[in-house]
Amino acid sequence: MLAGLSPARRRLVAALLALVVVAVLAGGTAWLLDRPSVTTGAPVAQERPGPVLLVPGYGGSTAALRPLADRLTAQGRDAAVVEVPGNGTGDLGAAADALAAAAEAALQSSGAGSVDVVGYSAGGVVARLWAADGGADVARRIVTLGSPHHGTALADLAGQLAPEQCGDACRQLAPGSPLLSELNAGDETPEGPAWVSIWTAQDQTVTPPESARLDGALELPVQSVCAQARVGHGELPRDPLVQAMVLEQLGAAPPSALGPDDCARLSAG
């Protein structure tokens, strides 16, 4: 195109093109600077634990997690149970938003750089939704307790037999639901926090119990610690052995604090 122009005109056109390129690059740089920061996925520092947030399961009862929160407090940790909207039966995404707000408030009030999260039952799915939406950047450790990461047949059955009583969370916890399919399509344990899944082979609410397995997490079936343990779904956050397992994984108890006496107590019960 420039070949047919005189030398003077070619110099003029070249100068104009150079100005256009500079303007485009400057504008592109400004656009890049205005973009939100991209999640790095870098591991969160493990040396300085921050507050612990406990997320209730379906039904939203905070009372079930109070004994575990009290035991963490007794070990010197700042522990709080998150209140989720809709009594824990509504949209799990809204519950994840509540966890995000609680995490932000905990970080601001404590000055800590990270939080630990314990999600009981559906609360573990809520923790994963939060982590996938940026929470992994500020989560040091995420422990799930009997969480239906791949759904539970009970939710599927409820949706078929009593659809009017199967709310948003119930439908979302059915195997193969759009929410679980999207959540499990990629990395089940995003980089950042250390992930732990504690569950019981005696679970009759999360069916099959193996639905609590989480790819990339440290798997800790209660029976791997105590083969005789008969801990049901509802006992998970209250059982002393399970509580000791949680405290150990959060660094609030010495490693290998569980011994034969725990198994004897459970088998006797």
Side-chain angles (χ1 to χ4, degrees), residues 42-49 114 140 192:
V44 174
Q46 298 287 315
E47 295 79 19
R48 299 181 61 184
S114 65
R140 171 179 167 266

Side-chain angles (χ1 to χ4, degrees), residues 3 51 60 63 66 86 111-112 133 140 150 158 160 162 174-175 206 224 230 265:
R66 180 53 53 193
D133 196 31
R140 171 179 167 266
H150 302 278
Q160 295 180 34
V206 174
S224 69
R230 301 192 62 82
R265 172 184 54 78

Side-chain angles (χ1 to χ4, degrees), residues 66-223:
R66 180 53 53 193
L68 179 55
D70 291 343
R71 189 162 176 183
L72 283 163
T73 301
Q75 293 295 322
R77 298 295 298 273
D78 178 6
V81 182
V82 178
E83 293 190 8
V84 294
N87 293 325
T89 63
D91 176 33
L92 295 179
D97 291 340
L99 174 56
E104 182 178 357
L107 291 173
Q108 289 181 352
S109 63
S110 67
S114 65
V115 295
D116 289 344
V117 175
V118 179
Y120 168 50
S121 193
V125 177
V126 170
R128 290 183 60 202
L129 290 170
W130 166 73
D133 196 31
D137 289 342
V138 295
R140 171 179 167 266
R141 298 183 186 180
I142 297 179
V143 178
T144 65
L145 284 179
S147 296
H149 296 301
H150 302 278
T152 171
L154 281 185
D156 192 26
L157 186 62
Q160 295 180 34
L161 299 181
E164 68 285 351
Q165 298 180 20
C166 185
D168 289 344
C170 173
R171 292 189 293 271
Q172 291 170 336
L173 293 174
S177 72
L179 181 141
L180 289 179
S181 295
E182 181 177 355
L183 187 60
N184 295 323
D187 188 355
E188 293 187 4
T189 51
E191 290 188 15
W195 292 83
V196 182
S197 176
I198 298 175
W199 52 280
T200 174
Q202 302 291 331
D203 204 320
Q204 295 183 336
T205 299
V206 174
T207 53
E210 290 76 15
S211 177
R213 291 187 180 277
L214 191 56
D215 188 28
L218 172 63
E219 296 287 346
L220 286 178
V222 178
Q223 286 72 24

